Amino acid sequence: MSLELVLFYLASATAIFATLMTITRLNAAHALLYLIASLLSVAVIFYLIGAPFAASLEVIVYAGAIMVLFVFVIMMLNLGRQTVDQERQWLNPTIWIGPGIICAVLLAEIVILLAQKERLLETVVVTPKAVGISLFGPYLLAVELASMLLLAGLVGAYHLGRPLAKKQQGRDE
Amino acid sequence: MISIPIEHCLLLSAILFCLGLLGVLVRRNIIFVLMSMEIMLNAIGLAFVSGGARWAQPDGQVMFLLVITLAAAEVAIGLALVLQLYQRFKTLDITSLSKMKG
C-alpha cells in the first residue's frame, strides 16, 4: 500500500469522525471546530486525488470565509449554559432512531451499488490553469449566474440582517 | 502515479452526505441544521471533484466552484434569517418557525 493511499484512508477516517462529532455536539462552538476539521480533511483528499485548486478553495472559502460567518453568528447570539441543557433535552435517543435507520438504509443502498465494480482512479493532476480556461470558456454563463447569485445573497442578507424597526419593537413588547 | 479506488471517494462522499442528512433530520437547533446542510453540500462537492478526477477533466472542479458559491449565498441568507429568528422569538428552536404567519 502506497503512502498516498494510507494518507487517503487516514483523511477519510478523520473526515467521517469529525462529521460525526459535528452532528452530535451540544455546544455550537465545539461543533463548529469539528466541522472545520472535517472540511480540512476533505481538502487533503482533494489534493490527493489531483485537484489542488479545489483543495485551496476548500481551505480558503469553506474553512475560511463560510466558517467565519458561523463564528460571527454564534458569538452574536451569545448562547449560554442553558442552551446546552436544552440541546441535551432535545437530543434523546427516541428522536435519533427513526432518522438514523432511514439514513443507514440509504447509505447501504449506495454501498451495494458501489461494490459492483472496482475501478482505480489514476490521479492526474488537473491544474488551476485548466480549470480557469474551462471556467471562462464553456462555463462563462455559469460564472455570470454565480455572480448574480452572490449579489442576490448579499442584498438578501443585508435586507434580512438589519435590526428590527423601533416602531415594530414597541409593538412586540 | 498513484491510484485510489474511485469507489472509495464516492463512498466517503455518500457517508458524509448521509451524516449531514441525519443532522438535518435529528437536530432542532437551527444553527446545527445549517451546519448539516454545509456538510451535505461539501459531500456533493467531493463527489463532483472525484468524478472530474476520474476522467482527468476540469469540469468537476468547475462544478465544485459553483457549489461553493451556492453554499456561501445560502449561509449568508440562512444566518441572517437565524439572527432575525433569534431577535423575534428568543430561541433557536426550528419548530418555532411554524408559528410565523404567511
Side-chain angles (χ1 to χ4, degrees):
Chain A
M1 199 185 258
S2 66
L3 175 66
E4 282 84 1
L5 214 51
V6 175
L7 287 178
F8 172 76
Y9 288 122
L10 205 59
S12 308
T14 49
I16 293 169
F17 175 72
T19 309
L20 207 58
M21 295 299 270
T22 305
I23 61 170
T24 52
R25 287 309 86 188
L26 300 174
N27 190 323
H30 299 171
L32 198 64
L33 288 177
Y34 276 113
L35 182 55
I36 291 171
S38 158
L39 294 176
L40 290 179
S41 21
V42 173
V44 171
I45 290 166
F46 281 161
Y47 185 74
L48 286 176
I49 63 176
F53 186 55
S56 51
L57 275 183
E58 176 94 8
V59 174
I60 295 169
V61 178
Y62 240 120
I66 296 181
M67 291 303 123
V68 165
L69 275 182
F70 271 104
V71 172
F72 276 150
V73 169
I74 289 172
M75 296 294 160
M76 275 173 82
L77 294 180
N78 197 15
L79 303 170
R81 189 168 295 278
Q82 80 275 14
T83 27
V84 175
D85 297 336
Q86 199 179 28
E87 282 292 315
R88 188 171 289 123
Q89 210 177 359
W90 283 349
L91 264 189
N92 55 349
T94 49
I95 303 175
W96 272 101
I97 289 170
I101 291 172
I102 293 170
C103 290
V105 167
L106 286 177
L107 187 61
E109 277 182 27
I110 299 173
V111 169
I112 291 167
L113 280 178
L114 286 177
Q116 304 290 326
K117 253 186 231 167
E118 180 108 348
R119 275 197 210 88
L120 286 184
L121 174 65
E122 299 286 331
T123 52
V124 181
V125 176
V126 180
T127 57
K129 189 181 170 188
V131 179
I133 288 172
S134 177
L135 208 53
F136 284 93
Y139 285 103
L140 190 59
L141 184 65
V143 173
E144 293 297 329
L145 286 175
S147 71
M148 286 176 71
L149 176 69
L150 282 178
L151 182 65
L154 175 70
V155 173
Y158 179 72
H159 177 72
L160 289 171
R162 75 199 190 293
L164 287 175
K166 282 274 175 342
K167 215 190 313 177
Q168 203 176 0
Q169 257 177 351
R171 202 176 57 202
D172 283 350
E173 287 157 7
Chain B
M1 185 77 68
I2 52 170
S3 19
I4 294 164
I6 179 112
E7 279 79 9
H8 293 179
C9 287
L10 293 176
L11 192 61
L12 174 66
S13 145
I15 291 171
L16 290 183
F17 188 88
C18 283
L19 284 176
L21 181 64
L22 186 65
V24 169
L25 291 176
V26 165
R27 302 304 298 241
R28 278 176 69 186
N29 188 327
I30 196 163
I31 286 188
F32 282 90
V33 173
L34 275 175
M35 275 190 211
S36 305
M37 285 172 73
E38 287 305 301
I39 294 169
M40 288 164 80
L41 282 174
N42 192 42
I44 293 164
L46 177 61
F48 269 124
V49 171
S50 53
R54 166 70 181 85
W55 305 106
Q57 293 294 318
D59 304 62
Q61 292 187 48
V62 171
M63 285 298 155
F64 176 68
L65 203 75
L66 299 179
V67 168
I68 275 195
T69 315
L70 176 71
E74 178 237 323
V75 160
I77 298 281
L79 289 177
L81 281 174
V82 168
L83 286 179
Q84 282 288 333
L85 176 76
Y86 194 71
Q87 277 181 5
R88 280 166 201 243
F89 295 107
K90 298 288 172 223
T91 175
L92 287 174
D93 188 355
I94 200 162
T95 50
S96 68
L97 281 178
S98 60
K99 284 187 223 141
M100 286 176 120
K101 288 179 204 148

